[in-house]
Amino acid sequence: MKVVLAAINAKYIHSNLAVHCLYSYSKEEFGQDIEIAEYTINQQIDYIIKDLYMKKPDVAAFSCYIWNRDYIEKIVRELHKVLPDTLIWAGGPEASYDAVNMMNSVKELQGIMVGEGEVTFNALLHMWKYGQGSFKDIKGIVYRSNSGNNAGNPTIEVNPPAEPVNLSDVPFPYENTDDFKNRIIYYESSRGCPFSCSYCLSSIDKKLRFRDIELVKKELKFFMDNRVKQVKFVDRTFNCSKNHAMEIWRFINDNDNGVTNFHFEISADLLDDEEIELFKGFRPGLVQFEIGVQSVNPKTIKEIHRHMNLERLSEVVKRIQSYGNIHQHLDLIAGLPYEDYDSFKKSFNDVYNMVPDQLQLGFLKVLNGSYMHENHKEYGMVYHSEPPYEILYNRWISYDDVLKLKTIEEMVEVYYNSGQFKYTMEYMVRYFNSPFEMYEILGKYYEDNGLFGEKQSRLKRYEILYDFARHRNNINSDELKALLMYDLYLRENLKSRPAFRREQPAPPDKLKEFNRKYRGLGRNIHVESFKYNPVELALYGTSKKGMYFIRFDYTKRNALDNNASATMEEA
């Protein structure tokens, strides 16, 4: 028997934790029968079909998510044509919560594993290899029945759900880190979620379980010993148990190797002073936090069954930010109930003013199985029929408004989340009524000038921002040049200079003097002259005019934003 567990990832750097957990759980008995095959949605369907065909599996099982369901359905239909005797199964959240519909639309599928798959997959392996039991005896599957009166006219049978897995019984899926070189490693120390957010599938699984803490420590030590670059915890609310979270945070701090970064999705308002004080001693870059704010509208928060103390969240974010050692990524969701355009504007401005390292402006996905999906008619939710089921409009926000927010989202990605324009945007925002307005007007500038249809280089984006800003709101063009050049050289030791500033403002003799001073430090040093102090401009909106020389050292980069070290001297 040969079973192929197929994963179609969004990017090459991603890995699929689910298929590795299925394999590790059944490896002891069936390891010789199972092969994992990981692909990406960027690969041609014909290539994937060919590769699976060459493996000649008896069973091919696909892991389905919103980003790959359509792709997998196409593969399954074509794969069945060239491997008609291969049993094709699916699993994962996108198949689990829409199993019957998926079986009806994809006739080539024999069955779907619903929910957690380790025990279910093991039972299927016993049946496939040894003929032990039958489909009707296996919990957690939806399948086509060809037995008895159904022969020749299969019906779709839905079995009772499987019991939750004891997470400590799932063997560690990462024995060989070489298989994951240059890829993100995903890890779970808990399953389930204690909260009931109406847009989220995790709220369905109320059986919150934790992996044995000693096992977790042993496995995290393995990652650190092997100097894995990043470990991304998939726990839905990592700090829902303070004791569990503190044990792990203390352990990774005590065993820090200076390389590995750990990503956690947390509820910031649940953090107490003891936890926050612990963070103060972390190496810059040891951890990063993803914090879901979603909305600051109290009516929206209540309607989506979310529990959040916004005042406490803001206080915690600012305290952690003051340490300068932890990257914080804050999320907003557009398209939620009772959140109209003006309400979302307030949510955006409030979160922007918390000054996160990244601000993700996402759009509601009306996921099969979620409370939001069950009540979408009440909310007037109109959304895409195909994955990822993203909102088009609802009772509170029009499609026109959604399109405007899409434009703002792109501007935020380019000019805020990239981190390439940090000081320039901090300076510019004071010339607009609000941060939201700044990105709104910038997006309109892009549209009016046909810039969305073009692929811009990094340097071109600086030039566009200069052209946009120098004619607006009394912005001083010389100050703007100083800030743009500062941001530019913090990131990159350029060979060519942008069109808006071809020449250095310093007299040639002064510039030669400073270059001679630092020439012996090598090519990873660049000296740039400025008429203004760009840091003062960003912080205060003004700076004494003079002559400033800044030495950028690209051998010393900030662990959080990757900016070069910058040392300033006033001439």
Side-chain angles (χ1 to χ4, degrees):
M1 179 184 71
K2 183 173 186 179
V3 178
V4 172
L5 292 170
I8 315 291
N9 300 321
K11 297 179 181 178
Y12 172 76
I13 62 168
H14 296 167
S15 58
N16 186 297
L17 178 60
V19 295
H20 291 281
C21 285
L22 293 180
Y23 173 77
S24 65
Y25 191 82
S26 294
K27 181 181 65 174
E28 187 173 343
E29 185 175 359
F30 297 103
Q32 71 281 2
D33 302 311
I34 307 169
E35 180 179 344
I36 292 174
E38 293 197 61
Y39 310 98
T40 79
I41 57 173
N42 298 314
Q43 291 175 299
Q44 294 292 324
I45 284 178
D46 283 346
Y47 168 80
I48 296 174
I49 292 170
K50 173 188 173 184
D51 194 64
L52 290 169
Y53 174 81
M54 298 299 288
K55 297 179 189 299
K56 296 293 192 296
D58 298 294
V59 180
F62 292 86
S63 181
C64 296
Y65 300 85
I66 55 174
W67 66 81
N68 67 15
R69 174 173 168 170
D70 287 348
Y71 202 69
I72 285 174
E73 288 186 357
K74 292 174 184 176
I75 291 170
V76 167
R77 291 188 178 101
E78 304 308 319
L79 184 66
H80 179 70
K81 294 175 183 176
V82 295
L83 290 174
D85 297 324
T86 295
L87 305 178
I88 303 178
W89 279 67
E94 184 54 26
S96 291
Y97 296 106
D98 196 33
V100 174
N101 286 335
M102 190 171 182
M103 292 285 287
N104 280 324
S105 65
V106 187
K107 305 298 184 184
E108 295 80 4
L109 276 177
Q110 188 192 21
I112 290 173
M113 290 182 282
V114 176
E116 295 178 60
E118 287 91 352
V119 174
T120 299
F121 181 60
N122 187 267
L124 287 168
L125 288 169
H126 276 92
M127 197 188 78
W128 289 328
K129 185 165 185 175
Y130 304 122
Q132 296 177 358
S134 65
F135 285 144
K136 65 182 178 63
D137 300 318
I138 298 175
K139 291 183 177 180
I141 62 170
V142 174
Y143 64 99
R144 297 187 198 279
S145 173
N146 292 286
S147 60
N149 296 329
N150 297 321
N153 185 27
T155 60
I156 296 173
E157 304 292 339
V158 180
N159 285 4
E163 294 298 316
V165 176
N166 181 337
L167 196 52
S168 298
D169 290 342
V170 180
F172 185 54
Y174 298 109
E175 287 188 341
N176 185 359
T177 56
D178 289 344
D179 295 338
F180 301 92
K181 194 172 182 180
N182 300 320
R183 300 170 78 185
I184 298 170
I185 283 184
Y186 296 91
Y187 181 81
E188 60 182 345
S189 69
S190 68
R191 282 185 187 173
C193 183
F195 303 113
S196 303
C197 302
S198 65
Y199 52 84
C200 181
L201 292 179
S202 296
S203 64
I204 297 170
D205 185 359
K206 289 298 178 190
K207 296 180 175 65
L208 179 60
R209 293 144 286 150
F210 295 93
R211 192 166 178 83
D212 179 80
I213 195 65
E214 295 308 316
L215 268 179
V216 172
K217 290 178 181 178
K218 178 182 176 183
E219 291 159 2
L220 296 182
K221 186 67 164 58
F222 175 84
F223 292 140
M224 289 186 279
D225 287 346
N226 283 275
R227 302 179 74 78
V228 168
K229 188 174 181 180
Q230 185 178 55
V231 177
K232 202 164 188 176
F233 277 69
V234 297
D235 304 43
R236 298 313 302 156
T237 305
F238 177 77
N239 62 320
C240 62
S241 166
K242 176 186 173 180
N243 290 338
H244 179 79
M246 286 289 279
E247 282 263 3
I248 291 173
W249 284 331
R250 286 192 181 109
F251 182 81
I252 62 174
N253 188 42
D254 292 342
N255 293 274
D256 180 24
N257 61 9
V259 173
T260 306
N261 166 263
F262 294 91
H263 176 105
F264 302 96
E265 186 173 328
I266 67 167
S267 288
D269 54 317
L270 296 181
L271 294 171
D272 64 19
D273 290 343
E274 183 183 12
E275 290 169 294
I276 298 169
E277 281 298 310
L278 175 66
F279 302 153
K280 190 184 292 187
F282 283 3
R283 163 181 61 85
L286 173 63
V287 305
Q288 62 188 52
F289 291 148
E290 183 172 350
I291 300 166
V293 182
Q294 321 312 10
S295 172
V296 306
N297 184 332
K299 199 168 183 180
T300 298
I301 293 298
K302 182 179 180 182
E303 186 65 24
I304 63 176
H305 308 151
R306 189 165 175 78
H307 301 279
M308 180 179 67
N309 183 333
L310 184 64
E311 186 178 345
R312 174 63 180 170
L313 184 148
S314 178
E315 176 192 334
V316 168
V317 167
K318 288 177 181 177
R319 280 184 62 186
I320 293 174
Q321 183 186 87
S322 71
Y323 301 156
N325 61 349
I326 294 176
H327 175 103
Q328 296 185 97
H329 174 135
L330 272 57
D331 296 334
L332 286 171
I333 297 178
L336 294 171
Y338 297 102
E339 185 92 280
D340 60 18
Y341 192 78
D342 287 337
S343 169
F344 188 82
K345 183 188 300 186
K346 183 179 186 321
S347 291
F348 181 95
N349 287 330
D350 285 357
V351 174
Y352 191 93
N353 288 329
M354 294 180 197
V355 199
D357 296 285
Q358 284 197 312
L359 196 172
Q360 167 120 13
L361 197 173
F363 292 81
L364 177 67
K365 276 68 172 182
V366 186
L367 302 176
N368 291 312
S370 67
Y371 177 88
M372 191 69 69
H373 179 264
E374 292 175 5
N375 293 273
H376 72 276
K377 290 183 180 178
E378 176 188 341
Y379 298 134
M381 296 284 181
V382 177
Y383 54 93
H384 285 279
S385 302
E386 304 299 324
Y389 315 113
E390 191 169 276
I391 188 76
L392 293 168
Y393 61 90
N394 61 28
R395 279 172 47 196
W396 299 273
I397 196 164
S398 68
Y399 184 53
D400 284 331
D401 289 338
V402 168
L403 291 178
K404 283 194 284 186
L405 291 178
K406 287 278 185 181
T407 299
I408 293 168
E409 176 199 26
E410 187 159 349
M411 294 297 92
V412 171
E413 285 299 311
V414 171
Y415 289 105
Y416 188 86
N417 289 341
S418 68
Q420 297 166 14
F421 304 87
K422 176 181 176 180
Y423 292 90
T424 306
M425 302 312 282
E426 188 174 347
Y427 167 83
M428 276 177 49
V429 73
R430 58 177 49 87
Y431 291 95
F432 295 84
N433 291 324
S434 71
F436 186 90
E437 183 190 71
M438 176 174 69
Y439 291 102
E440 187 179 45
I441 294 173
L442 179 57
K444 182 76 165 52
Y445 178 83
Y446 259 69
E447 285 186 336
D448 291 345
N449 290 276
L451 295 170
F452 279 123
E454 301 176 1
K455 186 176 181 180
Q456 288 99 20
S457 66
R458 182 184 299 181
L459 203 59
K460 179 67 174 175
R461 287 172 172 170
Y462 285 86
E463 293 170 356
I464 291 170
L465 190 59
Y466 175 73
D467 287 337
F468 162 76
R470 68 192 175 106
H471 298 304
R472 299 197 59 84
N473 298 312
N474 301 317
I475 296 177
N476 182 303
S477 61
D478 281 342
E479 292 179 351
L480 187 64
K481 287 179 186 179
L483 285 150
L484 285 166
M485 292 300 288
Y486 187 63
D487 274 325
L488 185 56
Y489 277 100
L490 279 172
R491 278 303 179 95
E492 194 168 347
N493 190 358
L494 290 176
K495 299 289 186 278
S496 59
R497 301 173 67 78
F500 61 83
R501 199 172 107 170
R502 292 297 187 195
E503 302 297 330
Q504 293 252 22
D509 58 331
K510 278 284 185 186
L511 192 59
K512 285 181 181 178
E513 178 186 334
F514 271 85
N515 277 324
R516 280 197 301 270
K517 184 176 179 181
Y518 299 113
R519 186 176 294 160
L521 298 178
R523 294 182 178 179
N524 287 315
I525 299 293
H526 175 79
V527 176
E528 187 74 16
S529 61
F530 295 83
K531 290 182 180 178
Y532 300 92
N533 180 329
V535 177
E536 285 186 355
L537 284 175
L539 290 175
Y540 311 116
T542 186
S543 166
K544 180 184 70 175
K545 192 173 182 179
M547 187 54 60
Y548 303 87
F549 288 89
I550 300 179
R551 183 179 79 252
F552 298 92
D553 187 343
Y554 301 97
T555 66
K556 300 173 183 176
R557 289 188 178 269
N558 186 292
L560 300 190
D561 59 20
N562 202 39
N563 281 345
S565 168
T567 305
M568 183 182 301
E569 294 184 34
E570 187 173 358

